[in-house]
Amino acid sequence: MNILDLKKINIIVLSLLLFLSMQIPVFASENTAEVKIPVVQVVENEAKEQAEEFSYVLTTNQSEAPMPKGSKENQYCWSMKKKETVEISIPVTTRGIYHYQIYQTTEPKEAYACDQSRYDVSVEAFYNEADQFKTVTVVKKSKRVKKIDQITFFESLEQNQSIKSDSKI
């Protein structure tokens, strides 16, 4: 190989490197969205000092619905003490409409009035005009038409229990 051939090879290699370095990188659009659902527990009255642990569940009857990490058989369970806020995080990767229910599973106790509210959560995942993956979350208290901003469960010491404890003193 003579020097002229080596120069040609160098020019070709440098041209290729220059051409490759000028390419504009193209990234695939992110098709994952994180749905965050805040759940607040409020303990009222004297129950604040005596608060036990209250249990909750997020459930769905759609087998294809995305669920939070740690879910089993389309149910995600957690518990909270006193005044606490938990943010449920659901990774959504495919478009669709998903329906969930959130409610308390605490066994009834003599001392507490447990909030038996049920909340319906709907998540719609879609691609917008710019081909970006988006989600819309709507939360409603069961049997109500109006949507709400946050899920709140109110726990309190029952009035009868309060009277019993006062009479023992």
Side-chain angles (χ1 to χ4, degrees), residues 14-37:
L14 288 173
S15 298
L16 282 173
L17 287 175
L18 182 64
F19 175 74
L20 290 175
S21 67
M22 296 184 100
Q23 294 293 321
I24 299 172
V26 176
F27 300 104
S29 66
E30 185 72 28
N31 63 345
T32 299
E34 199 76 22
V35 173
K36 295 181 186 297
I37 305 167

Side-chain angles (χ1 to χ4, degrees), residues 30-75:
E30 185 72 28
N31 63 345
T32 299
E34 199 76 22
V35 173
K36 295 181 186 297
I37 305 167
V39 179
V40 178
Q41 173 178 279
V42 177
V43 180
E44 298 177 326
N45 303 334
E46 295 87 14
K48 289 179 186 173
E49 290 77 37
Q50 302 174 16
E52 294 186 25
E53 200 167 65
F54 297 92
S55 302
Y56 302 91
V57 66
L58 173 137
T59 187
T60 183
N61 59 5
Q62 295 174 282
S63 59
E64 73 282 356
M67 294 293 288
K69 287 182 183 177
S71 299
K72 292 181 182 169
E73 299 174 5
N74 288 339
Q75 288 192 338

Side-chain angles (χ1 to χ4, degrees), residues 38-44 54-57 78 80 82-84 88 101-105 113-119 141 150-156:
V39 179
V40 178
Q41 173 178 279
V42 177
V43 180
E44 298 177 326
F54 297 92
S55 302
Y56 302 91
V57 66
W78 76 97
M80 295 189 280
K82 298 190 179 183
K83 182 176 172 139
E84 190 175 342
I88 300 170
Q101 262 204 345
I102 297 177
Y103 55 92
Q104 187 170 165
T105 58
C114 295
D115 190 341
Q116 298 300 313
S117 299
R118 288 183 173 260
Y119 294 90
K141 201 165 189 175
Q150 84 178 15
I151 296 172
T152 305
F153 289 96
F154 294 96
E155 315 301 341
S156 64

